[in-house]
Amino acid sequence: RRDIARARSNPRRKGLYGQQHHALDAFGQHSSQMDSCLSSASGRASPGSPTTMMGRLACGLDLLLWGSNDVSLEDLPPHGSETWQWFISSNPKAMRAPLVADPKTEAAFRMLRCRDDDVFVCSYPRCGLSWAHALSWHLLRSNESGQLPFRDPTTIVGGKGPVYPDQPPTKWTHQDVSAQAHPRLLSGHCSVQRLPPSFLQSKARLIVIDRDPRDAMVSTFFRLKRLGQKFRALECHDARLKELADACEALTLERCYDDFDSQKTSLALGMDDEAHYETRKRSATEDVSELDYGDYYEWHAQYASLASQLGQRVLWLHYEDLSTDPHSAAERIHTFLFSKPATSDKIDGAVRFASFDETAARGDDALRKGV
């Protein structure tokens, strides 16, 4: 495998990933809002409280994705006959697709009517989405002193972390994301083909964050191992979760690598101006879900081509830059969003808000210290 560091230092790297397929077919209908996990003020069980079927399942997913501080596993009594009406993978291929997905939510996201001031933050799984999202969210919502206008950010859409457009809603639904304050912030891992078709017709902006694929692959491996433990704890709710837990526990680093780079080719990033990337065609026999992101290289090839098409509407960040100099990364994001430099207080506030400790304290357990 070629030296990724050398490839990533090429100033013309964005144009070297190759050509994307621009087919953006509109489909799907708006998703119905799922019950929340809260009980009614009267003390009786509301339709979405943990004592009802949908409440238990929604809270269970909140535990699975976020490690919720509001509900424990004891609040989820086993009901083997209850089936989650979502897609649940039984064979994770790295993290090339959401392990638990809601096609209705994803279809509603694709029908979103983009506004000119919308901001999209996209990354391949385990490449820094939570970090970039937290920086962007705080910069968009805070004042020049770096202060947020609300005491608890987790009570606001996106304040806890990304609200993924292809996964089942927990506390926040697609309708909540669509109705958030301007400018709206929409973050996720979706491939270029899964962006709303209206994105290209609008002036909405896009922030893409990438990461050294070697680190992203190792991070994927450990994330799947941790998720396997959560699936095991919740398997009483759906037999498919047992299969998924078994698959995560049996996963090896070698298997994770095979799925991360489906063609097992060398890193096809050009080392000079004439080099190019040839988009690989997926085998017709390859078993992938409808919501597949593609492998690491395919995903980035498509976004690099889109970035060359959109020009100044796109900001491309590197995870390594966030890690070594988060203040400079925050300044770049602010200049991209507001076309002017930010005050030092605002930058300091955003960096502090997006730090590992504060993000984890808000309940986003997708983070992991180290690789």
Side-chain angles (χ1 to χ4, degrees), residues 236-303:
C236 58
H237 293 281
D238 195 306
R240 294 174 295 175
L241 290 179
K242 180 182 185 303
E243 296 182 46
L244 186 51
D246 291 341
C248 289
E249 291 177 358
L251 186 69
T252 64
L253 191 58
E254 291 78 9
R255 168 64 188 281
C256 193
Y257 167 75
D258 288 344
D259 293 335
F260 202 78
D261 179 6
S262 62
Q263 301 298 313
K264 305 173 188 63
T265 58
S266 62
L267 179 59
L269 291 177
M271 298 300 153
D272 54 60
D273 292 346
E274 301 301 322
H276 66 281
Y277 181 96
E278 182 180 354
T279 302
R280 287 166 288 169
K281 296 184 181 299
R282 195 180 283 133
S283 168
T285 61
E286 187 174 351
D287 181 21
V288 295
S289 82
E290 181 181 345
L291 304 179
D292 184 43
Y293 305 134
D295 72 11
Y296 176 96
Y297 306 107
E298 181 180 10
W299 190 96
H300 286 89
Q302 294 169 355
Y303 269 100

Side-chain angles (χ1 to χ4, degrees), residues 143-162:
N143 59 25
E144 294 303 310
S145 299
Q147 301 297 315
L148 293 171
F150 25 79
R151 182 183 297 273
D152 183 0
T154 64
T155 62
I156 307 299
V157 176
K160 189 175 186 178

